[in-house]
């Protein structure tokens, strides 16, 4: 579809000659799925659809205790330091963004009074600014008023390099101005097609200025509220045991009427995915369990228990293997995997190419994930418009042997290939989780046949995904050769998702290992294409740029995609909870309730 035809269809929607649903169907026919179709309409001046509420309770509270399971327990409750989904989800009970993403990619207002749009001028026609009008009368849990000063503070806090915030990428390149007590303006230096980043979704949760201002910059980790949140959300803090339990009680002054339904919640951490699934689907001991990374055969058997159901939400999450570009075994200035080093063997393209054909993705899908994971060659798999058609994957041990042999890696008496005194011996780590250990075993067996020695390492999930900067076993440290986990895509646009390969995002000691580029891969061409994509307003050209970025990291074997994973949760039959593959699991927690 060319630009002229696209503009004609958008004009028809504006004139009322074509319905939004009809437009979305037309876009789907050319590979532009609903989330991106709605973004395109919004940028062109058509207001986002706001679905009608299905919330039934007619009063606040009375729902008793909500019991939820996260088998990776939260380690802190400051969303600006969240390392992984479990910290973002734990923070979202208490903290809120200006808006969140629903399952269809529509923005739903939370602390915003409305969603910006071209029709009222709050979304600038030149794409260089967006104005947010805030809800009035919202109070922090300690009774202080929520105002524009809090929003502006979060921008300054996150973009300060000394703060070392994981959210910095959403705030560094924008300016935020206070218009009045309940209006803020986000200003971009160039036309910005994906404007709904700062203050939106998982990276947009807002913390109170009056409690964090004294701890901005290099004092950021000392704030008492990092562990005792005071937010605007539907629940108020009760207790927190890192890695174990987050609990809260109803906010009697919550800014949405008749919400929340539950009087209190417990977010239990730890354990494993199978026991979490069993506790909801079979025994009914819990109401909700997060991230059912469980063999599909087991899930189907547990569903027969009749207490709950598995809910699968389309999204852009990807289970992948990362290849370290730096040397994890040499320490430089008190830091392993230093940017001042390069990996002694993985720096050879032939070794990376061989590894890429030694991952039997079809078997991982067929025998482990089933309906919960699809074998893929791509890092970006959704929305469809951004999925590359240029890539392919294969499993071929003979090809791996041939690649390594031709590159001069010869097998020794022990069967392990070596060259220039360096052996192909790798430590391959991931979190403790049955599907992941089975995937490790599949990869190890194939590598052994190609003369590559793999030592598997399994780290307790609460440690592997911890925010503890002093723990060398966390995935941001990446102190091994290979590692595997799922990266979540929490927006219906790949810009923030692909930021994790930008050079300036490299995880390092200097930024307390909070940089999002865990592989430490640095490529000037990638950086240039990424920056161009950020300001490309033509949707077709923009999609082409992100496809090119995907192809670069896949073809250079920076990562080896394994399976594309939709969000998979276990929910009791009585619990009504809207899931979204584009936001936190707890993004709509204020609207959760039980059917009686």
């Amino acid at each position: 579809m060319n630009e002229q035809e696209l503009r004609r269809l958008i004009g028809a929607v504006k004139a009322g000659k074509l319905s939004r649903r009809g437009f979305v169907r037309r876009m789907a026919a050319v590979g532009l799925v609903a989330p991106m179709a709605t973004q395109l309409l919004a940028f062109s001046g058509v207001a986002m659809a706001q679905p009608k509420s299905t919330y039934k309770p007619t009063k606040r509270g009375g729902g008793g205790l909500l019991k939820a399971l996260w088998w990776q327990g939260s380690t802190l409750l400051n969303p600006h330091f969240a390392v992984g989904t479990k910290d973002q989800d734990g923070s979202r009970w208490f903290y809120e963004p200006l808006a969140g993403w629903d399952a269809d990619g529509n923005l739903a207002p939370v602390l915003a009074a409305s969603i910006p749009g071209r029709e009222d001028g709050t979304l600038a026609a030149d794409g260089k600014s967006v104005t947010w009008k805030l809800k009035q009368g919202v109070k922090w849990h300690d009774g202080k008023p929520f105002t524009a000063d809090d929003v502006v503070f979060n921008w300054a806090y996150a973009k300060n390099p000394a703060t070392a915030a994981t959210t910095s990428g959403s705030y560094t390149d924008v300016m935020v101005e206070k218009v009045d007590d309940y209006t803020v303006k986000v200003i971009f230096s160039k036309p910005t097609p994906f404007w709904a980043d700062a203050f939106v979704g998982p990276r947009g949760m807002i913390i109170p200025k009056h409690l964090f201002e004294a701890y901005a910059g290099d004092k950021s980790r000392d704030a008492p509220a990092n562990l005792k949140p005071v937010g605007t959300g539907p629940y108020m803090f009760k207790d927190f045991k890192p890695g174990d339990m987050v609990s809260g009680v109803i906010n009697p002054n919550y800014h949405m009427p008749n919400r929340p339904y539950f009087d209190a919640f417990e977010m239990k951490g730890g354990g494993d995915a199978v026991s979490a699934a069993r506790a909801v689907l079979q025994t009914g001991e819990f109401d909700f369990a997060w991230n059912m990374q469980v063999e599909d055969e087991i899930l189907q058997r547990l569903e027969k228990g009749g207490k709950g159901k598995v809910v699968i939400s389309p999204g852009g999450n990807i289970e992948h293997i990362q290849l370290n570009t730096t040397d994890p075994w040499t320490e430089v200035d008190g830091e392993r995997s230093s940017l001042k080093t390069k990996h002694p063997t993985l720096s050879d393209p032939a070794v990376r190419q061989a590894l890429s054909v030694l991952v039997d993705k079809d078997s991982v899908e067929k025998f482990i994930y089933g309906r919960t994971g699809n074998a893929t060659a791509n890092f970006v798999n959704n929305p469809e418009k951004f999925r590359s058609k240029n890539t392919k994957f294969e499993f071929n041990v003979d090809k791996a042997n041939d690649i390594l042999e031709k590159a001069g890696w010869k097998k020794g008496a022990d069967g392990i290939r070596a060259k220039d005194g360096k052996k192909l011996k790798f430590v391959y780590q991931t979190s403790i989780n049955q599907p992941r250990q089975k995937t490790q075993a599949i990869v190890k067996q194939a590598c052994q046949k190609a003369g590559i020695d793999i030592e598997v390492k399994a780290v307790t999930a609460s440690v592997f995904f911890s925010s503890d900067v002093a723990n060398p076993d966390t995935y941001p440290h990446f102190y091994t050769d290979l590692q595997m986990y799922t990266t979540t895509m929490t927006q219906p646009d790949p810009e923030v998702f692909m930021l994790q390969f930008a050079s300036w995002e490299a995880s390092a000691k200097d930024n307390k290992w909070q940089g999002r580029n865990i592989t430490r891969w640095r490529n000037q061409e990638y950086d240039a294409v990424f920056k161009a994509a950020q300001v490309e307003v033509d949707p077709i050209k923009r999609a082409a740029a992100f496809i090119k970025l995907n192809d670069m990291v896949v073809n250079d074997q920076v990562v080896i995609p394994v399976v594309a994973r939709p969000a998979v949760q276990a929910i009791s039959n009585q619990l009504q909870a809207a899931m979204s593959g584009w936001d936190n699991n707890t993004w709509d927690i204020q609207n959760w309730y039980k059917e009686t």
Side-chain angles (χ1 to χ4, degrees):
M1 179 177 293
N2 59 37
E3 185 177 353
Q4 184 176 1
E5 174 65 9
L6 193 59
R7 293 187 186 281
R8 186 188 69 77
L9 290 174
I10 292 172
V13 176
K14 286 182 176 180
K17 297 178 181 178
L18 177 65
S19 69
R20 292 177 60 94
R21 186 180 297 275
F23 177 81
V24 170
R25 280 201 298 264
R26 295 279 190 94
M27 294 299 98
V30 294
L32 191 70
V33 295
M36 287 311 300
T38 57
Q39 282 287 291
L40 192 57
L41 287 174
F43 192 76
S44 302
V46 181
M48 283 196 178
Q50 294 303 310
K52 292 181 180 179
S53 174
T54 59
Y55 186 76
K56 293 182 180 179
T58 56
K59 68 172 185 175
R60 177 172 290 144
L65 177 66
L66 172 65
K67 298 182 69 176
L69 268 174
W70 265 252
W71 50 273
Q72 293 171 13
S74 296
T75 54
L76 51 70
L77 298 174
N78 182 334
H80 289 294
F81 298 145
V83 177
T85 308
K86 88 288 188 209
D87 292 333
Q88 293 174 339
D89 288 355
S91 298
R92 195 69 169 261
W93 299 90
F94 312 106
Y95 293 117
E96 299 177 300
L98 297 187
W101 295 103
D102 73 9
D104 294 323
N106 292 305
L107 279 175
V110 184
L111 289 174
S114 58
I115 298 301
R118 289 279 295 278
E119 65 279 2
D120 64 359
T122 49
L123 181 59
D126 63 3
K128 289 188 176 183
S129 70
V130 57
T131 301
W132 289 93
K133 295 187 179 298
L134 311 181
K135 279 186 178 179
Q136 300 188 30
V138 177
K139 293 185 182 299
W140 296 101
H141 293 158
D142 60 6
K144 302 286 187 181
F146 162 74
T147 70
D149 291 328
D150 293 300
V151 180
V152 175
F153 166 74
N154 275 255
W155 160 69
Y157 177 91
K159 79 182 186 71
N160 184 344
T163 302
T166 57
T167 56
S168 62
S170 296
Y171 300 93
T172 300
D173 296 326
V174 301
M175 291 287 294
V176 180
E177 294 180 351
K178 173 183 174 180
V179 178
D180 58 42
D181 283 348
Y182 296 101
T183 311
V184 295
K185 187 175 185 179
V186 181
I187 302 168
F188 310 107
S189 59
K190 298 177 180 179
T192 301
F194 187 66
W195 52 268
D197 181 16
F199 311 118
V200 172
R203 296 162 66 82
M205 285 179 267
I206 296 171
I207 60 177
K209 176 183 178 181
H210 65 279
L211 293 180
F212 284 91
E213 186 174 28
Y215 298 95
D218 56 11
K219 296 180 181 178
S220 62
R221 295 283 170 167
D222 300 328
N226 286 340
L227 300 176
K228 296 181 178 180
V230 176
T232 59
Y235 296 98
M236 301 170 63
F237 177 77
K238 179 182 178 183
D239 194 24
F240 177 40
K241 295 180 176 63
D244 178 24
M245 178 77 79
V246 181
S247 61
V249 297
I250 192 169
N251 177 2
N253 301 308
Y254 188 56
H255 56 87
M256 295 187 185
N258 304 326
R259 294 165 176 83
Y261 168 78
F262 295 100
D263 301 306
F265 79 86
E266 291 179 352
M267 177 184 176
K268 176 65 177 171
D272 59 76
V274 175
S275 61
R278 183 177 294 112
V280 175
L281 302 175
Q282 190 175 65
T283 70
E285 181 185 356
F286 283 80
D287 303 301
F288 176 89
W290 158 84
N291 189 14
M292 294 295 92
Q293 192 171 12
V294 178
E295 292 162 81
D296 196 28
E297 178 187 357
I298 295 174
L299 286 178
Q300 293 183 51
R301 187 167 69 246
L302 291 174
E303 280 184 296
K304 293 177 182 177
K307 299 289 187 179
K309 57 187 178 294
V310 170
V311 176
I312 298 176
S313 307
N317 302 347
I318 178 70
E319 179 85 352
H320 65 291
I321 298 170
Q322 296 179 341
L323 284 66
N324 203 335
T325 65
T326 57
D327 187 350
W329 311 112
T330 299
E331 187 173 297
V332 178
D333 299 328
E335 176 183 16
R336 289 158 53 190
S337 292
S338 167
L339 291 169
K340 297 176 182 178
T341 66
K342 71 174 184 177
H343 198 282
T345 54
L346 289 174
S347 56
D348 185 342
V351 176
R352 302 196 303 274
Q353 290 165 16
L355 284 169
S356 72
V357 296
L358 289 170
V359 180
D360 189 356
K361 303 177 186 184
D362 284 328
S363 290
V364 173
E365 175 186 336
K366 182 178 179 181
F367 298 111
I368 301 175
Y369 285 93
R371 59 186 165 150
T372 68
N374 301 311
T376 180
N378 290 313
F379 195 75
V380 177
N381 289 276
N382 207 9
E384 171 68 26
K385 183 176 178 65
F386 295 103
R387 187 183 304 158
S388 176
K389 306 297 192 297
N390 308 320
T391 57
K392 63 180 181 178
F393 68 85
E394 63 176 319
F395 172 62
N396 193 324
V397 175
D398 290 338
K399 184 174 181 178
N401 273 306
D402 185 57
I403 291 170
L404 293 171
E405 194 70 28
K406 288 178 177 176
W409 293 94
K410 304 296 183 182
K411 284 186 178 180
D414 57 1
I416 302 171
R417 292 185 181 275
K419 179 181 177 181
D420 300 329
K422 299 172 183 176
K423 289 191 173 186
L424 294 186
K425 300 182 71 171
F426 302 120
V427 176
Y428 169 22
Q429 75 174 2
T430 188
S431 62
I432 294 177
N433 170 263
Q434 194 171 47
R436 287 190 170 136
Q437 269 67 77
K438 289 195 171 185
T439 302
Q440 282 182 312
I442 289 173
V443 174
K444 176 174 178 158
Q445 184 180 41
C447 285
Q448 188 175 20
K449 294 176 181 177
I452 299 174
D453 183 55
I454 296 288
E455 176 187 337
V456 296
K457 179 179 178 181
V459 183
T460 302
S462 60
V463 172
F464 189 64
F465 295 106
S466 168
S467 304
D468 184 359
V469 297
N471 195 319
D473 283 332
T474 68
Y475 79 90
H477 280 79
F478 198 0
Y479 279 2
T480 61
D481 306 290
L482 311 170
Q483 68 178 2
M484 179 175 67
Y485 60 93
T486 288
T487 291
T488 56
M489 183 173 170
T490 53
Q491 298 164 317
D493 181 279
E495 182 176 318
V496 174
F497 188 63
M498 295 303 283
L499 184 62
Q500 64 191 282
F501 299 109
S503 297
W504 58 88
E505 281 286 324
S507 178
K509 182 180 179 182
D510 286 346
N511 57 33
K512 298 183 176 71
W513 293 279
Q514 299 301 298
R516 297 185 67 240
N517 183 345
I518 309 301
T519 64
R520 281 79 159 172
W521 182 69
R522 289 169 293 170
N523 184 290
Q524 290 183 349
E525 183 185 3
Y526 184 96
D527 293 347
V529 174
F530 181 86
K531 288 179 178 179
Q534 286 182 298
V535 298
E536 180 55 71
V537 295
D538 183 316
I540 296 173
K541 291 180 181 177
R542 191 165 189 269
F546 280 110
I547 287 171
K548 181 175 182 179
L549 294 175
N550 172 87
D551 294 352
M552 288 177 71
V553 297
V554 168
N555 292 334
D556 201 31
Q557 291 86 35
V558 182
V559 291
I560 302 173
V562 183
V563 290
R565 293 183 58 210
V568 183
Q569 325 302 350
I571 299 178
S572 73
N573 290 330
Q574 288 73 42
L575 183 63
Q576 302 301 307
M579 295 289 104
S580 172
W582 305 113
D583 208 321
N584 288 112
N585 296 280
T586 44
W587 78 280
D588 195 44
I589 194 68
Q590 68 273 9
N591 288 312
W592 287 21
Y593 70 96
K594 279 186 179 179
E595 292 277 14
T596 56

